[in-house]
Amino acid sequence: MMPASGFGGAGGANLALKRSSAGPPKKLVIKPFKEKPKLPADFEERTWAKLKEAVTAVHAKQPVACSLEELYRAVEDLCVHKLGSSLYARLQQVCDVHIAARLRSLQGRAADPVIFLSLMDAIWQDHCSQMLTIRSIFLYLDRTYVIQTSGVRSLWDLGLQLFRTHLESGSEISRKVVAGLLSLLEKERQGEAVDRILMKNLLRMFTSLQMYTDYFEKPFLERTTSFYATEGVRYMQQTDVPEYLLHCDTRFQEESERCAHYLDPATRKALISVVERELLERHTQAILEKGFAALMAAHRLPDLKRMHTLFARVGRLDLMKAALSDYIKKTGKDLIMDEEKDADMVNLLLESKLKLDTILVESFSRNETFGNAIKDSFEHFINLRANRPAELIAKFIDAKLRTGNKGTSEEELEMTLDRVLTLFRYIQGKDVFEAFYKKDLAKRLLLGKSASIDAERSMITKLKTECGSQFTNKLEGMFKDIDLSKDFMSSFRTSSTARTELPTGIEMNIHVLTQGYWPTYAPVEVNLPHEINKYQDIFREFYLSKHSGRRLNWQNSLAHCVLKTHFDKGVKELSVSLFQTIVLMLFNTSDRLSFQHIHEATGIEDKELRRTLQSLACGKVRVLTKEPKGREVADTDEFIFHSQLNEKLYRIKVNSIQLKETIEENAATTEKVFQDRQYQIDAAVVRVMKTRKTLSHTLLISELFKQLQFPIRPADLKKRIESLIDREYLERDKANPKVYNYLA
Amino acid sequence: TRAEFPAGLETLGLDSVDKLKEQLPQMRRSLQTDEGVFSEVYRYAFGFATEKGQKSLALDTAFAMWRLLFDDGKWPLLDHWCDFLTEHHNKAISRDTWNQLLEFSKSIKPDLCNYDAEGAWPYLIDEFVEYVQTKNSEIST
C-alpha cells in the first residue's frame, strides 16, 4: 500500500496523502463457481496421449517432446481426478507390449554366446534406465495410487514382473542366457579371461528378477559339480600329492574370488562345499595312500600343513590321523626290528621323535588328537620287541654319563636326557631298563667313570618324577653308599689303627655297598697278595667295631688298582683290575711263568684267568708277552714280563675289560629280570587271593593285569598259578574248577 | 594200607570172601555207570600210584593208571594224550593236572570245539589242545 520510499519525509507524506484519499479498503470477494467446472470430455484421452507419446519416445530412446515437468503434471492431474487405476493399466499395457517385443527380438539371434549375452545385457540395461525414467515421470502415480491401493505393484516392480514374465515364457532365451553364462564360466575356469562385468550384470539381472536360484544357481552348481568331479579325477592321476593339494588351494581361492566379483554372495557357501566335496572329499583316502608317507619321510612341512588345513575343511582329519598312526607304527617297527641297527637305535629313535614333534608344531598346529596319535603309535611299536629297546636306552644313557664324553655342554646333555626320557616313558617293561641302568650305574660309580655327579643326580631326579620314588630308591641308595664310604674311609685313615697297623707301600680305598641296593655280584674267591689281605682284615675289624652285626663280603671282581711298575725305561703306573694285579704281582718273584703256575697261584677261575691274561698280553699295551704268540691262551702257554715296554704316558690303562659288558653279563641281567618278574607274579597272586579268598580264574587274571607293571602273557600267569597250586598256596574249588580258593 | 582194607570191607558190609566176589562185578559196573564213584576212584588213584613222599606221579605209572581207568574207549583222546606227553612233556604229572584231566575228559568234546583257551585249564592241557589241533590240520591238508 504505501511505497516504502526513502525520499524525504515530505515527499513520502505527499504520496501517502494521495492514496489515503481513495476511501475505505475495498473488499475483494471471490465467489465460487456457479457450476462445478467439469473436465473436458476427452481430458483423459488427451492427457494419456501425451503421456503415451512420451513413454513411447523413452522406449525408442528418442527425445521426449514435452517437458518432464509437464508430463509430471499430467500424471498428477489424472491421479487427482481419480483416474489413477486406468492410467496404471494403460501404462502397464504399453510397457508389456514393448518388453515383449524387445525380448522377442532376441530369438534366433547370435549363436556366439558372448554376443548373445551382450545383446541380452543391452536389453536389460535399456529396460532399467527406461523404467527409471518412466517412473520419474509417473512418480505421482507411484506415490499415491500405488501406495494407497493394495495388491498393486510399484512401477519398478511392475517393470520387473513384466520383464520376467516374458523372459520366462520365451524359455529358449533364458536357457540360452544361462548356457552362455555357464560356458563363459567354464572358460574362465580353464584359465581364459572373460568379461566379468557382463557376467556380473546379467547375474544381477537374474537376482533382481528373482530368477537367480532356479534358473541359474541350480544348473551352475550342477555344472560345477561335474566340472570338478572330472578335474579331480584327472588331476589325481596326473599330478603328485603336493601339487594336487596346491591346486585345490588355488581353486578354492579362485571360486571365492569369483563369488566376490560377480556371483551372488548367497551362492558362496554352496559353491565352496561343492568344490570341497569333489576335489577333496572324494579323494581324501587316495591322497593319503598315495602321498602321505612320502611327505612325512621327506619332512615336507609346508605341504603337510596344507594337507592338514584342507582336510580340516572337509572334516576328514580322522583319516589323516589314522594315516599318521599307521606311518609311525610301520616306520617305527622297521627301525625297532632291524637288529643290525641296534647300535644306532636310540639315536635314530630320538631323531625320528624330534622330526615328528616338529611336524606336529609346524604342520599340524599342535593338534591334540594328532599328538596323542603320535604318542600311542610310539608306545605301540616300541614295545613290539620286548626288552631290547629298554636295554639300549639304558646303554645310551650310560654312554652319555660316562667320562670321555667330550664336547657336550651341560645344557645339551640335559636336553638329550630329557628326550631319551620321553622314549623311556613309552616302554612297558621298565624293570628291564632298571636292571641295566643299575648295573651300568654301579660300574660307573665304582670305577670312578662318572663324568659328572650332577648329571647323574639330575638323571635320578628325572626318573623319580617319571616312575615314582620306589623306582629310584635303590639307585639313590647306591649314591648314599658311595658318600658314606668316603666319609668312613677318612675316619678310618685318621684312626689310630690305620696309622699304626696298616702295611706300608699300599694304599686302599674301600667302598662299602649295601647289598639290597646294588646289583648282585657273584663272589669270586681268589688268592690275594699278602698286603692286600692284611689291609682288608684291619679294615674289617675297624668297620665291625663301628657297625656290629653286619657281614662284609669282599667283591674281588669289582676292584681295580694302580700298580707302580718298574720297567727298563722307567717307572710307570698301570691302571688295572684286581685280577690283573694278582697276576702281575706274581712276576715280582719271577720273570717268566707258565699258565698252570699262574692258575694255581692266583686261584682265579679258568675262563676269567684266560681273559685277564689276554688283556695283559694280547692287547694294545703288552705288559706281558705270551709264548707262543697268538690271541688265544692255551694251557701250555708261558708268560714273560715285558720289561722293555715303551709307552709315552706315565699312567697306562690296561683295564678295559671291567668296563665292557660281556654277552654273558647281558644275558644274566635279562634272565634276572625275568626271574624277578616270576616272584612278583607269585607275590601278586598270593596277595590278591589272600584278600579275596575266592576268585574265578578270569577275574584273577584281570586283577593281575591291573597290578603288574610289566607286560605279561596269560600263559605265563597260568604256569605260576599252577606252581602255586602245587605248592599249596591255592587250590581249585571242588565244586567249580574254574574258581580258586586261598589256602591259609 | 592194611588197616584200611578190612575197615573198608566193613563199611561195604562184606564179611566173607564170597560176598566180596558177589559184590565185585557190581562194583565194577558202578565204575562204568556211576559218575560220582568213578570220579572218586580216579582221584584216589593219584595218591595210590605215587610213591610215598612224592608230590608228582612218574609218567610211566601215569600212563598205566590212565590206561586202566579209561579202558574201553571211555576217553577217545587218551592215545593222543599219551603221545603228546611222551613227545613234549616227559616229566612227572602234578596232582592238579591229574584231577583236571578228569574234568577235561568229561566236559570237552573229542573234537575240542567247546574248549576255552582263556579258561582255567592247566597250561599243559592248553598245550595238548594245540597239539591235537595242529595234528588235525596236518591230517586234513
Side-chain angles (χ1 to χ4, degrees):
Chain A
M1 274 47 134
M2 286 269 197
S5 88
F7 286 126
N14 281 340
L15 282 167
L17 271 162
K18 262 202 189 130
R19 287 284 138 83
S20 62
S21 60
K26 225 171 167 169
K27 225 167 68 189
L28 207 57
V29 176
I30 300 174
K31 287 203 188 111
F33 286 134
K34 282 215 175 66
E35 277 178 33
K36 189 158 180 218
K38 266 205 266 258
L39 280 176
D42 61 350
F43 173 70
E44 196 186 346
E45 289 309 320
R46 266 197 293 131
T47 323
W48 170 243
K50 231 192 317 184
L51 288 171
K52 181 170 178 183
E53 198 192 319
V55 172
T56 315
V58 169
H59 280 164
K61 298 192 202 166
Q62 301 289 342
V64 179
C66 312
S67 79
L68 289 174
E69 198 192 330
E70 218 185 303
L71 296 170
Y72 185 88
R73 283 274 179 72
V75 173
E76 192 183 341
D77 289 341
L78 287 174
C79 287
V80 162
H81 288 286
K82 317 246 190 281
L83 295 170
S85 83
S86 90
L87 178 59
Y88 187 91
R90 284 187 216 241
L91 179 60
Q92 179 171 347
Q93 220 237 339
V94 172
C95 290
D96 191 34
V97 166
H98 172 78
I99 293 172
R102 290 291 289 146
L103 286 175
R104 214 168 21 244
S105 75
L106 275 180
Q107 281 179 3
R109 294 281 296 285
D112 179 74
V114 179
I115 302 182
F116 184 79
L117 291 177
S118 311
L119 290 172
M120 182 76 232
D121 185 39
I123 291 179
W124 169 251
Q125 299 300 338
D126 287 344
H127 170 85
C128 288
S129 63
Q130 286 163 3
M131 275 313 289
L132 261 177
T133 316
I134 292 174
R135 187 190 179 245
S136 324
I137 297 173
F138 288 74
L139 191 62
Y140 198 87
L141 180 67
D142 219 14
R143 290 258 174 87
T144 52
Y145 169 70
V146 172
I147 292 181
Q148 287 159 2
T149 322
S150 66
V152 169
R153 284 200 167 79
S154 78
L155 289 178
W156 177 258
D157 286 342
L158 173 66
L160 288 181
Q161 188 204 355
L162 291 174
F163 199 93
R164 180 183 173 158
T165 316
H166 289 292
L167 189 60
E168 274 182 336
S169 69
S171 66
E172 183 214 313
I173 302 176
S174 53
R175 253 191 310 110
K176 248 180 131 176
V177 173
V178 171
L181 288 171
L182 290 178
S183 79
L184 281 190
L185 244 156
E186 178 130 354
K187 273 207 192 125
E188 199 185 38
R189 282 186 178 141
Q190 307 274 22
E192 277 182 53
V194 295
D195 188 346
R196 282 187 159 186
I197 299 184
L198 175 61
M199 297 185 72
K200 181 173 180 169
N201 289 343
L202 287 169
L203 287 171
R204 293 281 178 273
M205 171 186 89
F206 272 128
T207 312
S208 310
L209 295 173
Q210 297 185 331
M211 290 168 74
Y212 181 81
T213 320
D214 293 325
Y215 279 78
F216 176 74
E217 201 181 48
K218 217 153 59 109
F220 167 67
L221 288 176
E222 278 171 18
R223 184 69 82 81
T224 309
T225 309
S226 67
F227 176 81
Y228 280 117
T230 27
E231 185 177 87
V233 170
R234 193 177 70 239
Y235 263 72
M236 275 299 288
Q237 287 175 348
Q238 289 174 350
T239 60
D240 65 4
V241 170
E243 260 182 62
Y244 186 82
L245 294 174
L246 192 60
H247 180 76
C248 287
D249 246 357
T250 322
R251 281 302 195 199
F252 279 123
Q253 251 178 305
E254 273 175 31
E255 295 295 338
S256 268
E257 206 204 10
R258 206 160 276 136
C259 271
H261 276 195
Y262 54 85
L263 293 174
D264 191 292
T267 315
R268 188 158 191 277
K269 198 151 165 236
L271 172 60
I272 296 293
S273 81
V274 163
V275 183
E276 282 176 357
R277 200 179 57 237
E278 295 304 322
L279 277 190
L280 267 187
E281 227 179 304
R282 275 189 206 282
H283 301 283
T284 43
Q285 191 59 39
I287 292 174
L288 285 174
E289 280 173 24
K290 192 169 162 193
F292 184 72
L295 287 182
M296 290 293 293
H299 208 60
R300 303 268 291 259
L301 295 172
D303 290 319
L304 285 169
K305 185 169 183 159
R306 184 171 298 120
M307 191 190 275
H308 185 255
T309 324
L310 286 174
F311 274 55
R313 283 179 87 137
V314 290
R316 305 262 44 197
L317 281 179
D318 55 334
L319 282 183
M320 203 170 168
K321 188 175 84 141
L324 180 67
S325 277
D326 288 339
Y327 172 78
I328 298 176
K329 283 190 191 161
K330 182 169 176 310
T331 47
K333 182 169 170 193
D334 292 339
L335 222 172
I336 290 271
M337 294 303 204
D338 187 351
E339 294 198 7
E340 301 192 4
K341 290 216 174 67
D342 273 2
D344 256 339
M345 190 198 283
V346 181
N347 272 319
L348 291 172
L349 284 175
L350 287 175
E351 241 180 73
S352 151
K353 182 81 190 1
L354 193 62
K355 270 168 95 175
L356 286 171
D357 286 340
T358 321
I359 294 180
L360 181 67
V361 168
E362 302 285 336
S363 306
F364 299 155
S365 340
R366 295 180 203 267
N367 184 320
E368 211 182 301
T369 39
F370 277 53
N372 287 339
I374 295 179
K375 194 158 59 94
D376 293 338
S377 312
F378 248 86
E379 230 180 278
H380 174 258
F381 77 73
I382 219 175
N383 288 305
L384 285 178
R385 193 164 155 210
N387 309 322
R388 199 82 171 115
E391 187 192 318
L392 290 171
I393 292 181
K395 268 221 268 277
F396 180 84
I397 300 179
D398 177 56
K400 290 285 174 208
L401 290 174
R402 260 203 234 167
T403 51
N405 226 340
K406 298 190 197 84
T408 343
S409 75
E410 210 181 289
E411 290 151 14
E412 266 178 53
L413 184 60
E414 276 285 314
M415 222 172 50
T416 314
L417 290 179
D418 277 331
R419 281 161 55 203
V420 174
L421 211 61
T422 324
L423 287 182
F424 169 72
R425 211 171 279 147
Y426 300 134
I427 297 195
Q428 279 167 358
K430 291 185 166 63
D431 52 352
V432 175
F433 174 85
E434 193 195 347
F436 278 101
Y437 189 80
K438 205 156 81 162
K439 185 161 67 69
D440 292 333
L441 176 64
K443 277 209 183 129
R444 289 200 300 278
L445 289 176
L446 293 176
L447 298 174
K449 288 282 169 198
S450 290
S452 137
I453 286 290
D454 286 337
E456 297 274 2
R457 288 207 186 272
S458 145
M459 190 65 212
I460 302 282
T461 320
K462 288 194 222 286
L463 286 172
K464 192 150 130 173
T465 327
E466 199 53 49
C467 306
S469 58
Q470 210 195 12
F471 193 81
T472 49
N473 240 339
K474 302 201 181 107
L475 302 173
E476 289 182 318
M478 287 161 76
F479 279 99
K480 224 182 342 187
D481 278 348
I482 299 287
D483 285 338
L484 285 176
S485 298
K486 230 191 305 193
D487 292 338
F488 195 80
M489 277 314 291
S490 47
S491 76
F492 175 65
R493 284 202 191 98
T494 51
S495 77
S496 56
T497 346
R499 277 181 281 131
T500 52
E501 291 180 33
L502 281 178
T504 51
I506 175 174
E507 279 215 24
M508 271 172 74
N509 189 28
I510 299 172
H511 295 292
V512 182
L513 314 176
T514 313
Q515 190 165 34
Y517 295 152
W518 297 76
T520 36
Y521 301 107
V524 181
E525 286 298 324
V526 291
N527 298 334
L528 293 167
H530 170 75
E531 294 91 334
I532 298 182
N533 256 329
K534 188 143 193 275
Y535 202 109
Q536 283 183 341
D537 290 337
I538 296 173
F539 179 84
R540 172 187 257 124
E541 230 184 277
F542 181 78
Y543 187 85
L544 292 175
S545 74
K546 301 282 180 206
H547 303 278
S548 66
R550 294 188 183 180
R551 230 185 25 209
L552 290 178
N553 288 322
W554 295 102
Q555 294 289 352
N556 298 316
S557 51
L558 297 173
H560 65 282
C561 315
V562 174
L563 268 185
K564 247 208 198 96
T565 326
H566 296 266
F567 292 99
D568 292 346
K569 295 255 165 73
V571 174
K572 297 263 182 229
E573 282 186 357
L574 300 175
S575 173
V576 283
S577 74
L578 183 59
F579 294 161
Q580 289 169 322
T581 310
I582 301 173
V583 169
L584 287 176
M585 292 203 42
L586 292 177
F587 287 85
N588 271 339
T589 45
S590 156
D591 267 347
R592 184 191 199 91
L593 293 168
S594 72
F595 176 81
Q596 299 293 1
H597 179 89
I598 300 176
H599 193 11
E600 249 172 275
T602 60
I604 298 177
E605 181 264 333
D606 194 273
K607 200 142 153 241
E608 187 63 48
L609 181 60
R610 281 180 216 270
R611 226 199 333 242
T612 311
L613 286 169
Q614 263 182 334
S615 68
L616 290 170
C618 314
K620 234 183 359 175
V621 178
R622 302 209 176 166
V623 184
L624 303 175
T625 45
K626 185 166 83 80
E627 269 176 26
K629 291 212 193 312
R631 277 231 95 192
E632 298 304 317
V633 173
D635 291 357
T636 48
D637 286 353
E638 292 208 333
F639 293 87
I640 308 145
F641 177 68
H642 188 209
S643 54
Q644 304 101 356
L645 182 78
N646 193 355
E647 286 281 336
K648 275 182 290 221
L649 298 168
Y650 179 63
R651 179 180 281 222
I652 307 169
K653 263 206 293 229
V654 199
N655 178 23
S656 45
I657 46 172
Q658 270 183 322
L659 216 42
K660 264 206 275 257
E661 195 177 74
T662 59
I663 304 180
E664 296 120 355
E665 255 190 85
N666 211 335
T669 312
T670 325
E671 188 52 44
K672 182 150 184 314
V673 175
F674 288 151
Q675 267 198 8
D676 262 350
R677 284 183 179 173
Q678 286 200 323
Y679 296 142
Q680 284 189 52
I681 297 177
D682 286 355
V685 174
V686 173
R687 198 170 48 234
V688 171
M689 290 308 296
K690 192 167 175 179
T691 330
R692 309 289 210 97
K693 304 289 183 214
T694 296
L695 203 56
S696 79
H697 176 84
T698 25
L699 285 178
L700 177 61
I701 298 286
S702 70
E703 192 59 40
L704 288 173
F705 266 108
K706 259 191 270 181
Q707 289 202 11
L708 294 168
Q709 303 281 17
F710 43 83
I712 35 167
R713 294 173 307 181
D716 297 329
L717 289 177
K718 264 204 199 179
K719 287 199 211 153
R720 299 316 305 158
I721 294 175
E722 276 177 62
S723 154
L724 287 167
I725 292 177
D726 221 32
R727 287 180 279 159
E728 296 182 17
Y729 281 88
L730 354 149
E731 60 169 12
R732 283 183 202 269
D733 187 86
K734 295 198 183 22
N736 180 359
K738 294 205 200 310
V739 171
Y740 303 110
N741 298 327
Y742 180 68
L743 291 174
Chain B
T1 61
R2 273 192 96 156
E4 286 176 349
F5 190 66
L9 287 177
E10 238 187 280
T11 329
L12 291 170
L14 306 166
D15 51 4
S16 75
V17 180
D18 291 323
K19 281 216 187 137
L20 183 60
K21 269 199 210 156
E22 270 176 46
Q23 280 283 17
L24 274 180
Q26 192 188 345
M27 281 159 68
R28 267 219 191 88
R29 241 174 296 127
S30 77
L31 254 186
Q32 303 280 34
T33 51
D34 189 340
E35 281 286 337
V37 170
F38 181 72
S39 288
E40 262 189 69
V41 172
Y42 179 89
R43 283 181 203 272
Y44 175 75
F46 185 83
F48 178 75
T50 46
E51 306 271 332
K52 210 187 179 105
Q54 258 191 341
K55 278 191 95 177
S56 350
L57 184 57
L59 201 56
D60 297 332
T61 327
F63 283 156
M65 291 305 302
W66 277 322
R67 292 247 144 74
L68 204 57
L69 288 160
F70 286 125
D71 75 336
D72 222 11
K74 204 161 178 6
W75 183 42
L77 290 175
L78 177 64
D79 291 323
H80 284 296
W81 174 248
C82 296
D83 288 338
F84 163 71
L85 287 177
T86 329
E87 269 178 64
H88 291 266
H89 187 60
N90 237 339
K91 285 187 285 218
I93 303 290
S94 71
R95 182 183 282 270
D96 185 53
T97 313
W98 176 269
N99 287 342
Q100 291 304 93
L101 188 68
L102 178 64
E103 285 302 317
F104 185 82
S105 68
K106 280 199 289 185
S107 54
I108 302 296
K109 298 202 196 139
D111 63 355
L112 303 174
C113 59
N114 60 337
Y115 183 76
D116 173 21
E118 304 289 319
W121 299 107
Y123 188 63
L124 196 56
I125 295 189
D126 285 342
E127 291 193 303
F128 172 61
V129 169
E130 255 184 70
Y131 169 84
V132 172
Q133 282 166 341
T134 332
K135 263 212 147 134
N136 285 343
S137 63
E138 276 170 22
I139 294 172
S140 56
T141 47

